Amino acid sequence: MTACDKRPAHAPGSCPTIWRVPRSSVPPLASHAPPLGALLRQYAAGSALTCDPVDQGLLNRGYRLATTRGHYFLKHHFDPETADPAAIARQHRATQRLADLGVPVAPPLPGRDGRTVAVVGGHAYALHPWVDGRHRHGGQLSTGQCGRLGALLGVVHASLERVMPTRCRAPGERGGGEHEGEADGRHLTVRRDLTAPRDLTAARERAGGREGTSGRDLTAVREGAAAWGLTAGRGEDADRGRPAGQCGSGGGARQGEPGRPSEAVHHRDAGRHNGTPGRSEAATPAGASAKPSAPAEPPHSADAHRPNHPNHPAGRPQPQPRPTGSNSLAETPPAPSADPADTFALIDELLAHVRRHQPTDAFDELARHRLLERRALLEQHADRRPPPGGSVGWVHGDFHPFNLLYKGDAPAAIVDWDRLGVQPRAEEAVRGAAIFFVRPTGTLDLPKARAYARAYRRTAGATPSELAAAVHRVWWERLNDFWMLRWHYERGDTRADSQFPAASALAVWWTREYDAVCEAFVG
């Protein structure tokens, strides 16, 4: 993992760092000191006192910046695919609107010119308030807190639906349910479940089992945003046209094998600008990771072999991912699921990498075992490839423990919105659960996942059938997913190695316990 040492003295306007480059043929990060003098001249944030690098994420760089006016988090948007200033500004507008609705986020500070993105020397930067907090994995959360976590994600999705520009009509659809908006003068088209609550007040009323008319005023929406802390553990959802708790097996599942969702289930898939916050021993900034650990999801669209991240360096034809932050997102058809033929070829390539690595170590042995095991599973279940995803909505795009800060028992800020985009919303809920609630042995804590999923369904207005379809697609995604091995063998980047044992075991366990996993998300 990249680390840095602080020099005892440094020139004014520079950040004193020495980077230790990890073993890699292409280093994921290079030495770059932020130009503090030029940056701070664009903000009313005082003069720099100290600038300390924080634990590195997998996409961008962050610094804890102390000035004569307070403490801040300085984010360097370094990854080329997420560093477009216009896309960053769009993310910033979204987080500010979410903050106005009461969603726990940390919007950036505006510069003297009112802009939130500062471009210096061809690099994009943003200045955020420093948020003291801790990252918490699902094992550190009670069942009630897991319910509140699911409700929070539901509120995020419902709030994004409200604040982001959309035109609800899908390509080829006629009439009904249309709401138009603009982003930078251009229209978007997003397919939406017309039965979903149109604001957070409706979601809150559903959570309490009440019927009522949803208000349109900002006060009502703010009240609805508070529902994520109030709704866990109450009530039951019932799917339209099917009993709640019934997985989408479609009647064609063989005993002990993953079910095949029926076609009917594919409907669609706080820190503020407050100067110097109080410090804590385990403080973590908004937008930074507290641990030098990679999430269990690919951090980059070109680094995985799965529906949302399908590019492959060998040049085989692959469905292209939606470009994060682009106004064309909503007009892109749902990406096809992973083709097992491509996965078989990738497995052969990775096995060749394993054979060439000498001397063989324990990681190589585990990788070989998992690759052979996965090939056998795919041969057995190749006929269960899901169809393209259903309708989509705006999502955070990277919801996992290292992008959520807690103060005590309450979420303080959802950070790192670099992958804000339009995707199947229910799939983000399932992916998040698979990261939050995976145990070191590669199993999911299903009681906690159940509390999370129930609360998510209530606040997002999602049906059990939507979650069943999402479970099937994410299961298939994981079955075809080898991004950690590709980082290890193709890039020489070992930052995700520690998570490979649990992540690779999860795909096997999920296949064996498919019905139980599905029941946890829809019951």
Side-chain angles (χ1 to χ4, degrees):
M1 175 59 201
T2 302
C4 61
D5 295 330
K6 299 359 176 242
R7 295 175 182 169
H10 60 283
S14 66
C15 190
T17 64
I18 300 175
W19 299 103
R20 298 194 187 112
V21 180
R23 178 177 65 86
S24 175
S25 57
V26 181
L29 294 172
S31 177
H32 180 85
L36 295 184
L39 279 170
L40 289 178
R41 282 194 292 272
Q42 299 191 35
Y43 294 92
S47 302
L49 299 175
T50 61
C51 174
D52 299 324
V54 300
D55 291 334
Q56 296 299 321
L58 297 182
L59 291 180
N60 300 299
R61 302 169 179 160
Y63 306 87
R64 177 166 182 162
L65 175 62
T67 76
T68 53
R69 295 194 178 181
H71 289 83
Y72 305 93
F73 174 66
L74 175 63
K75 183 169 183 176
H76 177 189
H77 291 267
F78 181 75
D79 182 73
E81 290 199 5
T82 60
D84 174 56
I88 299 169
R90 190 177 305 118
Q91 296 157 15
H92 291 172
R93 291 193 295 271
T95 55
Q96 184 58 65
R97 292 165 184 162
L98 291 175
D100 292 340
L101 295 180
V103 179
V105 292
L109 296 167
R112 297 180 187 275
D113 61 359
R115 298 179 181 179
T116 57
V117 182
V119 179
V120 179
H123 294 269
Y125 299 87
L127 192 65
H128 297 258
W130 182 270
V131 178
D132 284 326
R134 300 169 183 247
H135 300 295
R136 302 183 69 176
H137 191 269
Q140 299 169 304
L141 302 176
S142 68
T143 301
Q145 288 171 329
C146 293
R148 289 189 288 275
L149 176 66
L152 174 60
L153 181 60
V155 164
V156 168
H157 288 172
S159 299
L160 285 170
E161 181 177 0
R162 182 176 178 86
V163 305
M164 296 303 289
T166 62
R167 280 176 57 189
C168 296
R169 185 179 300 168
E173 287 182 357
R174 298 181 58 186
E178 189 167 271
H179 171 75
E180 295 190 359
E182 291 188 352
D184 301 329
R186 285 167 285 184
H187 288 286
L188 301 178
T189 302
V190 176
R191 280 184 286 178
R192 177 185 295 164
D193 185 347
L194 303 185
T195 62
R198 286 296 181 265
D199 56 42
L200 300 181
T201 302
R204 188 180 186 184
E205 290 167 350
R206 174 180 292 199
R210 303 187 302 275
E211 294 184 359
T213 302
S214 60
R216 284 294 188 184
D217 60 289
L218 184 58
T219 301
V221 175
R222 283 174 174 157
E223 291 175 355
W228 63 265
L230 303 175
T231 60
R234 294 186 296 163
E236 295 288 340
D237 275 324
D239 191 10
R240 297 171 182 84
R242 201 175 47 146
Q246 179 177 336
C247 291
S249 62
R254 296 187 291 272
Q255 183 68 26
E257 294 189 346
R260 195 193 301 268
S262 63
E263 294 181 3
V265 304
H266 294 286
H267 303 313
R268 62 160 184 159
D269 277 328
R272 299 305 303 272
H273 306 166
N274 55 0
T276 308
R279 297 186 182 187
S280 67
E281 183 175 333
T284 306
S289 296
K291 301 176 182 179
S293 179
E297 287 295 309
H300 196 287
S301 62
D303 293 324
H305 186 80
R306 65 186 184 91
N308 290 330
H309 302 276
N311 291 340
H312 193 280
R316 289 190 298 272
Q318 294 289 324
Q320 294 300 309
R322 296 176 174 86
T324 301
S326 167
N327 281 337
S328 65
L329 284 172
E331 296 162 357
T332 304
S337 57
D339 187 336
D342 292 323
T343 305
F344 290 141
L346 177 58
I347 288 173
D348 289 340
E349 292 176 11
L350 289 171
L351 285 170
H353 278 293
V354 173
R355 287 192 297 269
R356 286 193 296 266
H357 186 262
Q358 297 296 330
T360 301
D361 57 24
F363 188 91
D364 297 327
E365 293 291 345
L366 178 61
R368 181 179 181 278
H369 169 73
R370 291 303 188 195
L371 286 165
L372 295 174
E373 180 181 53
R374 197 77 63 85
R375 184 162 64 187
L377 285 174
L378 278 170
E379 289 171 349
Q380 181 182 358
H381 300 293
D383 62 333
R384 302 190 183 280
R385 179 185 180 185
S391 57
V392 295
W394 288 93
V395 299
H396 176 274
D398 206 16
F399 189 72
H400 59 71
F402 296 132
N403 282 340
L404 178 60
L405 290 168
Y406 278 82
K407 280 187 178 180
D409 292 336
I414 304 168
V415 300
D416 281 351
W417 291 80
D418 304 272
R419 296 166 83 175
L420 173 71
V422 177
Q423 297 176 19
R425 297 194 303 175
E427 290 179 26
E428 173 161 84
V430 175
R431 287 191 197 98
I435 303 173
F436 270 97
F437 306 125
V438 64
R439 297 183 174 115
T441 56
T443 64
L444 289 180
D445 189 326
L446 293 183
K448 290 184 176 181
R450 180 176 290 106
Y452 163 96
R454 285 177 176 173
Y456 172 78
R457 294 201 311 265
R458 287 194 298 271
T459 55
T463 66
S465 63
E466 290 176 277
L467 268 294
V471 166
H472 187 73
R473 287 184 60 83
V474 177
W475 161 75
W476 180 260
E477 181 177 286
R478 288 302 186 100
L479 206 58
N480 289 269
D481 177 12
F482 296 101
W483 79 269
M484 294 180 186
L485 291 184
R486 294 184 61 192
W487 271 47
H488 181 96
Y489 290 106
E490 297 177 359
R491 297 177 48 166
D493 191 327
T494 61
R495 288 178 290 168
D497 285 7
S498 63
Q499 294 199 19
F500 178 69
S504 60
L506 177 60
V508 180
W509 177 86
W510 193 333
T511 303
R512 185 174 64 249
E513 302 295 336
Y514 181 92
D515 289 340
V517 175
C518 185
E519 179 64 27
F521 281 90
V522 306

